[in-house]
Amino acid sequence: GGSFREAWPSGAGLARETMQQSKPQQKLGKKRHSHARPFGGGLPRIMRGPTRWKRGFIHVDELGPLDVARGLFSANIYLTVPKAETNNKGEMVSHTKDDTGTDDVISSWKRDSGGLYVWPLGVRSRLDWYRNAMTLSSLSAQDPEMQLNLQHALGKPNVIQPEPGDLVLLCAQRPHCAVGFNKGERVSLQCFLEHNGPDNRLLIDC
């Protein structure tokens, strides 16, 4: 494989504050800072069981339409992940079926505990936005009933089961969640990657 520089010639670096000079500062003749302070390069995230949201807290990190010219991604490096849930016999919990014979999204979290759910909902236009208005409005509320409604409205997610040492890069504008668990802990390092087109640097911040 090629190098990062070959894949993204514009390079990458830490995002920095946007330093704007206020009108009082302009009147006093104060000079503007030539170097804005950089943001952090990442944060450790620690979850210990039993977690509050058993099925995960569904959210987006940026509530906006998808755009090929720009986007926000979440990068997660997993250091520790909890073991899959088992029954009293030590057997891994299997997915349950609903009345139609398909996987029951609401009850399958035990099998996927400690993993990631990502839903393929993609809002790309104003029409998409209005069509999914009720679902999108629920993504900004920490309400158990709305979370349950989201589970039904979004349907079956894509399931990612990371292992220690894995890097998972996901679109932060798509609904996603870290599935809850009863025992163990999940330790990861996380940051955001923002791209504003191939002619601009990738910006890293947390």
Side-chain angles (χ1 to χ4, degrees), residues 21-35:
Q21 193 177 33
S22 65
K23 289 184 177 180
Q25 288 176 324
Q26 293 172 359
K27 290 179 180 179
L28 292 172
K30 290 187 177 181
K31 293 183 177 180
R32 194 172 170 180
H33 294 290
S34 58
H35 297 288

Side-chain angles (χ1 to χ4, degrees), residues 169-183:
L169 188 67
L170 59 90
C171 176
Q173 294 152 298
R174 294 189 187 275
H176 58 277
C177 72
V179 186
F181 50 92
N182 288 319
K183 297 179 181 180

Side-chain angles (χ1 to χ4, degrees), residues 78-144:
Y78 290 85
L79 306 181
T80 302
V81 294
K83 295 181 179 179
E85 296 279 341
T86 57
N87 57 25
N88 294 333
K89 297 180 180 180
E91 301 169 335
M92 191 163 60
V93 177
S94 61
H95 283 200
T96 58
K97 303 289 183 178
D98 61 17
D99 294 337
T100 65
T102 57
D103 285 346
D104 183 351
V105 176
I106 304 302
S107 303
S108 293
W109 70 271
K110 286 188 177 181
R111 170 66 180 263
D112 304 324
S113 62
L116 285 173
Y117 284 165
V118 182
W119 283 267
L121 174 66
V123 176
R124 298 181 182 275
S125 66
R126 184 173 295 182
L127 179 61
D128 287 343
W129 189 275
Y130 289 131
R131 185 183 293 128
N132 296 282
M134 293 299 293
T135 300
L136 294 170
S137 64
S138 300
L139 290 168
S140 59
Q142 294 194 22
D143 180 80

Side-chain angles (χ1 to χ4, degrees), residues 65-83:
L66 299 177
D67 188 340
V68 295
R70 63 169 303 277
L72 184 69
F73 295 84
S74 177
N76 301 267
I77 299 175
Y78 290 85
L79 306 181
T80 302
V81 294
K83 295 181 179 179

